[in-house]
Amino acid sequence: QVHLVQSGAEVKKPGASVKVSCKASGYTFNNYGVSWLRQAPGQGLEWMGWINLYNGKTIYAQKFQGRLSLTANTSATTVFMELTSLISDDTAVYFCARDRMEYSGPNSFDPWGQGTQVIVSS
Amino acid sequence: EIVLTQSPATLSLSPGETATLSCRASQMISDYFAWYQQKPGQAPRLLIYAASKRAPGIPARFSGSGSGTDFTLTIHSLEPEDFAVYYCQQRSSWPPLITFGGGTKVEVK
């Protein structure tokens, strides 16, 4: 079974950074890209960026350019999302999600991780 | 950026009825179009990809249609577990950027 398991909730102060992990299992890790998305309280879904786990290339939504870094530890089949210079508006549940198809680029996402709550508060 | 507008925002229906959800794009989009279901406290679940293909394990009562700028998700004979929020999503051709609609909540009437 394909699973994505994310790290636990985080509470951060404004200006700090957060790093969330997403451990993948049940499939050939390098063959599928992974996106990160977020959902602010009571709001819809927002795509943040994508990492190609075959060659490490990334694509970031313009909104997050300069603040977002997606990396991976291939041997640990784990993807990381680091967001810097946090503000209160970054308070959200953050999800990792695998590309539905291998070698396809970000397209549709299946499955998703369970989500990680990040709270930014002074 | 391509904007997706979902309507209605809320749909109040009874079990057994048919739900018709709409998603309109601000410009022509490709077949990189999907629908997701999200229940409170859960991650979204992929229902439909490539506008009309059901994801594995999704019941046949869920169907997607449309092309260009107008897309529809139809849920026939609503089951109690279908009451949830539904999101549409598209990917632009290049660069491959992803946007979501604002969601439609299907609630019990």
Side-chain angles (χ1 to χ4, degrees):
Chain A
Q1 273 185 322
V2 178
H3 283 300
L4 300 177
V5 178
Q6 299 181 222
S7 51
E10 303 265 10
V11 179
K12 296 292 182 181
K13 293 196 182 302
S17 300
V18 67
K19 192 169 186 176
V20 179
S21 66
C22 173
K23 166 74 174 173
S25 61
Y27 67 96
T28 303
F29 182 72
N30 286 6
N31 291 3
Y32 293 80
V34 169
S35 283
W36 286 85
L37 308 96
R38 73 180 187 179
Q39 188 169 37
Q43 303 300 308
L45 297 162
E46 180 176 36
W47 179 79
M48 301 174 68
W50 173 85
I51 181 168
N52 181 331
L53 294 168
Y54 182 77
N55 57 21
K57 289 190 176 180
T58 54
I59 300 171
Y60 298 131
Q62 186 172 10
K63 176 178 180 177
F64 299 101
Q65 292 274 2
R67 280 209 305 145
L68 177 64
S69 176
L70 302 183
T71 56
N73 180 332
T74 301
S75 61
T77 65
T78 300
V79 184
F80 300 93
M81 183 282 296
E82 184 171 23
L83 190 63
T84 62
S85 302
L86 291 169
I87 61 175
S88 58
D89 285 352
D90 292 319
T91 293
V93 176
Y94 288 74
F95 295 99
C96 60
R98 195 199 72 171
D99 291 341
R100 183 188 62 81
M101 276 179 52
E102 53 188 349
Y103 306 120
S104 66
N107 184 348
S108 54
F109 309 117
D110 183 34
W112 295 55
Q114 83 275 19
T116 296
Q117 175 74 61
V118 174
I119 295 172
V120 182
S121 173
S122 55
Chain B
E1 176 181 300
I2 296 174
V3 176
L4 298 179
T5 302
Q6 291 189 241
S7 62
T10 304
L11 200 49
S12 299
L13 295 168
S14 300
E17 292 191 297
T18 294
T20 302
L21 287 67
S22 174
C23 182
R24 175 163 289 178
S26 59
Q27 57 187 277
M28 293 277 288
I29 61 177
S30 66
D31 285 343
Y32 295 137
F33 186 89
W35 289 95
Y36 299 84
Q37 176 194 68
Q38 188 179 31
K39 298 180 181 178
Q42 296 184 17
R45 177 175 72 145
L46 177 66
L47 299 174
I48 301 288
Y49 65 94
S52 61
K53 295 180 168 60
R54 267 190 306 277
I58 300 303
R61 64 181 181 273
F62 291 90
S63 63
S65 63
S67 63
T69 60
D70 291 294
F71 297 83
T72 300
L73 175 69
T74 304
I75 313 170
H76 292 282
S77 189
L78 281 162
E79 296 284 344
E81 63 267 27
D82 299 336
F83 292 92
V85 179
Y86 293 84
Y87 293 97
C88 58
Q89 172 247 305
Q90 68 84 35
R91 186 200 106 165
S92 56
S93 295
W94 192 264
L97 302 177
I98 303 289
T99 55
F100 286 85
T104 291
K105 181 179 182 181
V106 178
E107 65 175 20
V108 179
K109 186 174 182 179

